[in-house]
Amino acid sequence: MEMNAAQVEAIVKSVLNNLNGDGPSTGTASGPIPSTVKVGFLTQLGKMEVKEYPMPEVGDDDLLVKVEGCGICGTDVHEYKRDPFSLIPVALGHEGTGEIVKMGKNVKVDSAGKPVHVGDKIVTCMIFKDDPEITMFDLNKKNVGGADVYGLLPDDDVHANGWFANYILVRGGLGSTFFNVSELDLDSRILIEPCAVLIHAVERAKSTGILRFNSRVVVQGCGPIGLICVAVLKTLGIQNIVTVDGNPQRLEFSKRLGATGTANFKDFDGIEGLTKGVYDAFGGHLADFGFQCTGSPAGHSNIYKFIRNGGGLCELGFFINGGDATINPHFDICSKELTEVGSWVYTLRDYVTTFDFLKGAKAIGLPMNELITDKYPLSRIDEAFQKAASMTGLKIAVMAEELA
């Protein structure tokens, strides 16, 4: 077929635009983009359904991402059970990752300034809207509680707002942030969001000046958050970590992630007995620092007893209102001169740090990927949520059909 010079020029320009990110780009590595998108919706309490909608248009500042997988967060389970944020119906899923298949002409770099192209693997972080006080390299200027995330957005005419889907539209106009993480394997990418929670918590703990290389650290709660906490501490070189939980399998797994001792609260009579168990696990010492990861008011009340005078505590278990805890301010805080920090979510900087943490954990042989115990295809999302709600696994993931 013969082409004139103008036609050749147009084809060359189109190819160059796609390579440079100067025009809408459509990926072919994952096959053609379908005309509809499938989205996992929480339609009522205890009921996840896959709904189908027209594929949204990709604007000049947007990214269309083919979802590869997304972890089920404890927050997702809370939403599934009782909708604390009053979002139903809502497209859930904020621990997701996938491949860029189409991008608007204005999208050239990610939120860290790293170039992005069709075919790159990304994760999303916070949606900051128009709040200039939340910045990349300022850890404590302002809590990010006023920000949004994909997977906890009110439903709108786009619908593809959560990572429990086969495609998600990342919208530049909302103030979205995202990162190119093509160098990480799929399981590591699914773990980025929960790991960032612990990177932030440990940074908050370090701000007390008490957490050091030779600190004795107690971690209460061996769900995914507590277990990741152990791994982060291990990669920092902390060698003396005791975990507290009631599940022997989780306690045993905590040793593989860096714990040197354990205390099963079911083996002790009351808080005095459990405190003695922690004391013994540290070889006759109380902890210098504690991380409370359970989200249980009783757990919060107990952990003060495990920490020495002049020690420190980071509370990060209460992602939602879990109820009131009872402490004695004189004995638990004042007479001990305890230093306590709270931690909630993360910052953009914590996300970037998390990428290096995951590489470092892998380099020293920590079995991070084994935190993902169960994988379900999107078509079985309700079953996946039932599994997560049963608390019989660790991290449950919803995957692209071909990857489950």
Side-chain angles (χ1 to χ4, degrees):
M1 179 179 69
E2 293 185 1
M3 291 185 288
N4 59 34
Q7 290 173 313
V8 172
E9 182 181 355
I11 291 172
V12 171
K13 183 178 180 180
S14 175
V15 171
L16 290 175
N17 282 345
N18 287 346
L19 289 173
N20 295 328
D22 294 331
S25 308
T26 303
T28 58
S30 301
I33 297 172
S35 59
T36 60
V37 58
K38 296 179 180 179
V39 185
F41 261 80
L42 179 64
T43 55
Q44 62 186 57
L45 290 181
K47 185 63 176 179
M48 292 292 297
E49 297 182 59
V50 177
K51 292 182 170 290
E52 196 161 357
Y53 299 98
M55 185 66 67
E57 294 292 325
V58 180
D60 290 346
D61 301 306
D62 301 340
L63 293 168
L64 184 65
V65 180
K66 186 177 190 299
V67 178
E68 293 176 307
C70 181
I72 297 178
C73 177
T75 304
D76 292 318
V77 176
H78 286 304
E79 188 65 24
Y80 180 74
K81 287 182 174 180
R82 54 191 182 93
D83 189 26
F85 305 120
S86 300
L87 289 171
I88 291 176
V90 59
L92 293 177
H94 57 270
E95 295 182 355
T97 183
E99 177 185 336
I100 300 172
V101 294
K102 191 172 184 179
M103 50 195 289
K105 67 179 183 180
N106 295 335
V107 184
K108 303 180 187 300
V109 297
D110 71 3
S111 297
K114 184 177 180 179
V116 288
H117 303 285
V118 166
D120 285 336
K121 314 292 187 177
I122 71 160
V123 291
T124 50
C125 191
M126 290 292 184
I127 300 171
F128 290 139
K129 296 175 285 190
D130 57 353
D131 193 337
E133 294 189 11
I134 305 174
T135 59
M136 178 77 175
F137 294 106
D138 190 342
L139 288 176
N140 297 310
K141 185 174 182 181
K142 184 175 181 181
N143 186 282
V144 296
D148 290 323
V149 293
Y150 287 100
L152 289 171
L153 292 176
D155 189 30
D156 57 17
D157 57 355
V158 172
H159 302 301
N161 295 324
W163 282 95
F164 294 135
N166 61 346
Y167 289 84
I168 184 172
L169 184 69
V170 179
R171 293 183 273 174
L174 291 182
S176 303
T177 58
F178 70 96
F179 294 97
N180 183 346
V181 287
S182 299
E183 71 276 14
L184 295 174
D185 64 85
L186 176 55
D187 286 352
S188 294
R189 288 186 272 125
I190 290 173
L191 291 172
I192 286 171
E193 197 273 351
C195 287
V197 170
L198 276 307
I199 292 295
H200 184 68
V202 171
E203 291 294 340
R204 295 282 291 140
K206 286 161 58 180
S207 73
T208 66
I210 298 171
L211 187 64
R212 306 176 186 276
F213 283 111
N214 62 346
S215 293
R216 300 179 183 93
V217 182
V218 61
V219 177
Q220 183 169 247
C222 288
I225 292 296
L227 290 170
I228 294 169
C229 184
V230 173
V232 172
L233 294 169
K234 180 66 174 179
T235 60
L236 290 178
I238 294 173
Q239 299 298 318
N240 204 346
I241 305 168
V242 168
T243 51
V244 178
D245 199 272
N247 184 310
Q249 289 78 28
R250 291 186 175 191
L251 288 168
E252 194 60 33
F253 188 47
S254 75
K255 292 181 181 179
R256 297 181 59 204
L257 291 172
T260 49
T262 65
N264 188 326
F265 63 75
K266 293 181 179 179
D267 294 339
F268 301 94
D269 185 16
I271 184 57
E272 283 142 5
L274 178 56
T275 300
K276 180 66 163 54
V278 172
Y279 179 88
D280 291 343
F282 279 123
H285 301 274
L286 292 176
D288 301 302
F289 204 95
F291 288 87
Q292 207 296 110
C293 306
T294 67
S296 162
H300 179 86
S301 300
N302 289 345
I303 197 167
Y304 291 90
K305 312 300 188 293
F306 310 153
I307 302 170
R308 65 164 173 83
N309 286 9
L313 168 63
C314 179
E315 171 58 67
L316 67 143
F318 290 84
F319 282 86
I320 67 166
N321 181 3
D324 295 335
T326 300
I327 65 169
N328 185 305
H330 170 70
F331 290 113
D332 293 336
I333 300 175
C334 296
S335 65
K336 283 189 170 184
E337 293 199 340
L338 203 71
T339 302
E340 184 172 0
V341 293
S343 182
W344 197 71
V345 200
Y346 37 72
T347 68
L348 287 177
R349 186 174 186 174
D350 297 320
Y351 249 56
V352 176
T353 305
T354 298
F355 309 151
D356 288 329
F357 156 67
L358 284 163
K359 294 172 189 174
K362 185 175 183 179
I364 65 173
L366 300 186
M368 296 298 296
N369 290 8
E370 292 183 33
L371 285 164
I372 304 176
T373 54
D374 301 87
K375 294 180 178 180
Y376 290 81
L378 178 62
S379 58
R380 295 170 58 197
I381 188 170
D382 195 58
E383 186 179 343
F385 266 76
Q386 291 174 33
K387 176 70 175 181
S390 73
M391 298 182 67
T392 54
L394 287 173
K395 178 60 63 178
I396 315 301
V398 176
M399 310 294 292
E401 297 289 329
E402 66 273 17
L403 298 175

